Amino acid sequence: MGIIDWFIGVVYKSLFLAEDTGFRRAHFLSKAVFILSITLLITRNPGSSYLLVAFLTPLGLMFPGLEWVVAILGLSAFTGLLLAASAYLVSLLGFYQMHVLQILDIVLRTMGISMGIVFSFNIISPIELYNALYVLRGRRVAVIPLMLWKMIPQGLRNFMDSLMVGYSKREIFTKRIPPAVASLIEASWLTEEYCYWKLRIPVKTRINLERSYRHTIILLTVALFITLIQAKFMKVI
Amino acid sequence: MPTLIDVNIERCGYPGGFEAKNIKFSLNKGDILVITGKSGSGKTTIIRAITGTLEAAGGFLKGTILLEGREISELKPDEVYKFMTYIPQEPWYSVTGYSVYSEVCYTLALDGVNCAEVDFTPLGISKLTDRLTYTLSAGELQRVLWLEALVKNVKLLVLDEPLVYLDQEARKIVKHFIKVALNRDIGVIVVDHDPYQWEHIQPTILYLDNGNVKYYGPWRDDLFALPVVNQRRERMSKGVVVRFKNTWFRYPGGRYILRNFTEEFTRGLITCITGPNGSGKTTVLKLGAGVLKPSKGSIERTGSTIYIPENPLLYFTMPIPRDELLLSSRLNEGKVIDIAERFNIKHILDKPLSKLSSGERKRLAIASAYLAGYEAYFIDEPTGGLDNENSRAVLEVLESLVEEDKAVILASHDERVIKASDRVINLEME
């Protein structure tokens, strides 16, 4: 298995492993507050964004679970190392001086930011996006989030299957892209045909999403902690 | 009271391509019609015509399709949607939701029904509500679509090859629910290459041949030849090629599909892995071919292996069959022609893959793998959705492989495959 298979595998696990359980069942306002607190930390106090690794690892273990934590740590560390390596290479050209500790800083900050973004993505339920589109009178397009969350992981799985076949055929990965794309195109044609009438009707009601008080309270508590720490850094308190 | 559906097609088909002519039939409430015929006889074209999707698929229709006396093209989309449910052979393409809950609720939301009012317990769906739809087996997906149809209270069910990907247990459930639907006065149209699957209901038959009606009327025992089963010859094992030792496996985020699985696959034999939907048949193939790594335990291989997925499109590297075979044969044109004749694919060598039928794609994939010279072939559902003629052609190709001391390992529910296999491994649900 090559780095491409690994990369697709961790992208799949990081983004599409979650079912509509755990923090997806938290109240949408608590999610908004949580995402706002993360966004403020990243944008107004980027130096402390590495703290998100400490906050989000236990949350991630609760939901979506250990496999998600392993995947996101791998993916974010990979991204962080790439950024740090590029920064270090540029420093070798003499544009600026770079200390070894700064490399670690770049890796940790990237990990925190990536985890924040991906965790936020995971706690948003496509059903909430559907309901938002319904309320905003996008009743003909409300199905789009539901379909995207179905078709993207399906496409990634096809791509992984195609790569696996290529692995036993001893082919380089670039040769496996056309079959994966062809199967995706065929899948979208068939979906269009089989759901022909379904996709031409505006939806008439919202979809209920069961709520979890426990997860709502946890998200709000963590959001409060993040905000307090931020305030401390900014010397507001 | 007008008939449920009244079909009167003068001509329908695709510009410059296949055409079906003079297709006339009707169906009343609580009746069942089975449309049968060989591959290429026009079954799919007729389905597209009666579901009102032929023109969207690039086809044309001259004639009328009346749903309770009203022309389908004059109905609003939600009227057609409410009138019928179409469950295709590949049910995963008719699902729009990412989870079972979102799928069922979205379908009902189109009808203005809040899914809080829906009972998910029939068909065992309540156990599946949180599951992601792309992780469900074909049988589980069909059950979801059945539930939607029952809750929507449709008048007509159109089922394309509904039994192809189902295990025996799931087949019984589908047949039972067809009876439930008929008792509820729902009309049922089934497309199946094997009409004998429906003999017990004695349905009305529409037998198509090359776009024409060969027979339309009540069930008759003398209409169809019984499926010819490839006769299994006595064969001897020629040594182990893949050995599973206490193998465990689970997919990301899932439960263990295989637990402590120990098995040997040998050269010179066709081995068929069968078992309920979701029991891990495809996983065994992928592990055996080396495209998945076991979570625990080991797999030893003493020869080269290849995996051919159920969707052969994922197997190919080149877009044209000739180029695919040339690549596999290391540009040996003579070998390509020889193998194309042997696998009966010479006539499609220059056709794009997108224009090939399922049977042609399957035979091409096996031919390509054969030319590349592997020793063990792990093939998923080699005869899925194929009529008897195409299925026999594929099985003959597989027999020729084992006669050359290759190992052939198949995952299938198909009785024709099971009967033609030297060994059958029945996986139990964990």
Side-chain angles (χ1 to χ4, degrees), chain B residues 52-297:
Chain B
T53 57
L54 183 60
E55 281 163 21
F60 68 88
L61 167 68
K62 205 176 164 201
T64 54
I65 312 285
L66 303 179
L67 305 182
E68 287 190 328
R70 296 171 68 198
E71 171 56 39
I72 191 169
S73 56
E74 288 163 13
L75 295 175
K76 289 180 190 159
D78 51 352
E79 288 177 306
V80 181
Y81 174 72
K82 225 182 153 181
F83 189 87
M84 69 169 90
T85 283
Y86 169 42
I87 303 184
Q89 184 178 330
E90 306 95 347
W92 41 90
Y93 296 130
S94 65
V95 168
T96 38
Y98 64 100
S99 66
V100 171
Y101 181 77
S102 69
E103 163 63 20
V104 175
C105 293
Y106 166 70
T107 303
L108 299 178
L110 294 171
D111 216 8
V113 179
N114 190 319
C115 63
E117 299 159 21
V118 174
D119 178 12
F120 280 81
T121 38
L123 301 158
I125 304 296
S126 54
K127 290 180 201 158
L128 304 176
T129 44
D130 285 331
R131 290 271 302 277
L132 302 172
T133 47
Y134 58 85
T135 65
L136 298 182
S137 67
E140 290 168 331
L141 277 171
Q142 278 204 5
R143 270 154 55 200
V144 172
L145 296 170
W146 272 99
L147 178 77
E148 289 175 8
L150 292 178
V151 177
K152 256 171 68 186
N153 230 347
V154 292
K155 294 180 177 174
L156 177 66
L157 268 171
V158 182
L159 312 171
D160 189 4
E161 302 278 359
L163 306 178
V164 166
Y165 294 110
L166 303 188
D167 60 57
Q168 293 304 328
E169 205 47 46
R171 284 179 180 201
K172 277 185 202 159
I173 294 174
V174 167
K175 286 179 179 177
H176 167 72
F177 269 88
I178 287 184
K179 281 188 179 167
V180 170
L182 293 172
N183 287 338
R184 286 190 180 194
D185 266 354
I186 297 173
V188 179
I189 296 178
V190 178
V191 171
D192 203 318
H193 64 267
D194 181 5
Y196 282 102
Q197 296 283 358
W198 310 97
E199 189 184 3
H200 62 290
I201 318 181
Q202 298 278 301
T204 304
I205 293 289
L206 178 71
Y207 188 6
L208 297 175
D209 184 27
N210 203 19
N212 294 299
V213 176
K214 197 170 174 183
Y215 174 79
Y216 173 54
W219 174 272
R220 262 173 40 195
D221 287 328
D222 61 333
L223 264 182
F224 318 101
L226 279 166
V228 179
V229 176
N230 289 41
Q231 286 305 309
R232 188 170 57 211
R233 295 171 205 161
E234 282 301 315
R235 283 186 281 253
M236 298 285 289
S237 155
K238 303 282 172 61
V240 176
V241 66
V242 176
R243 179 178 285 123
F244 283 66
K245 269 188 183 172
N246 309 107
T247 307
W248 294 63
F249 184 81
R250 70 184 179 101
Y251 286 101
R255 60 186 168 81
Y256 276 104
I257 290 185
L258 284 186
R259 291 167 188 265
N260 215 14
F261 181 73
T262 298
E263 195 57 69
E264 289 178 345
F265 296 106
T266 54
R267 291 180 176 87
L269 296 182
I270 297 180
T271 306
C272 179
I273 303 168
T274 189
N277 294 113
S279 60
K281 298 183 292 297
T282 300
T283 306
V284 171
L285 296 188
K286 287 182 175 176
L287 285 164
V291 297
L292 287 179
K293 301 272 174 276
S295 310
K296 286 190 250 176

Side-chain angles (χ1 to χ4, degrees), chain A residues 1 12-13 16-21 24-25 67 125-127 130 143 146-147 149-150 153 157-158 161-162 164-165 167-169 171 175-176 179 182-183 186-187 190-191 193-205 207-208, chain B residues 48 51-53 56 77-78 80-81 86 88 90 92-98 101 103 105-107 109-110 112-114 116 130-134 250 252-253 286 290-293 305-307 311 313-317 324 327 361 374:
Chain A
M1 300 283 252
Y12 169 74
K13 288 180 205 172
F16 297 105
L17 205 57
E19 296 177 348
D20 276 341
T21 53
R24 279 217 182 157
R25 289 195 174 168
E67 252 174 308
S125 167
I127 291 178
Y130 164 97
V143 67
L146 308 183
M147 285 194 85
W149 259 257
K150 183 214 160 201
R157 273 197 159 191
N158 275 357
D161 271 358
S162 177
M164 287 167 177
V165 171
Y167 174 70
S168 45
K169 285 172 96 175
E171 285 176 349
K175 283 195 168 181
R176 302 314 304 166
S183 79
E186 194 167 78
L190 291 170
T191 306
E193 183 185 332
Y194 296 159
C195 303
Y196 185 77
W197 298 110
K198 230 180 182 179
L199 298 174
R200 274 158 186 76
I201 307 171
V203 290
K204 296 183 182 75
T205 59
I207 298 177
N208 293 338
Chain B
R48 283 177 170 155
T51 53
T53 57
D78 51 352
V80 181
Y81 174 72
Y86 169 42
E90 306 95 347
W92 41 90
Y93 296 130
S94 65
V95 168
T96 38
Y98 64 100
Y101 181 77
E103 163 63 20
C105 293
Y106 166 70
T107 303
L110 294 171
V113 179
N114 190 319
D130 285 331
R131 290 271 302 277
L132 302 172
T133 47
Y134 58 85
R250 70 184 179 101
K286 287 182 175 176
V291 297
L292 287 179
K293 301 272 174 276
T305 54
I306 187 74
Y307 167 64
N311 177 3
L313 209 51
L314 293 171
Y315 175 84
F316 302 118
T317 310
E324 173 70 27
L327 181 75
R361 284 181 184 182
Y374 297 97

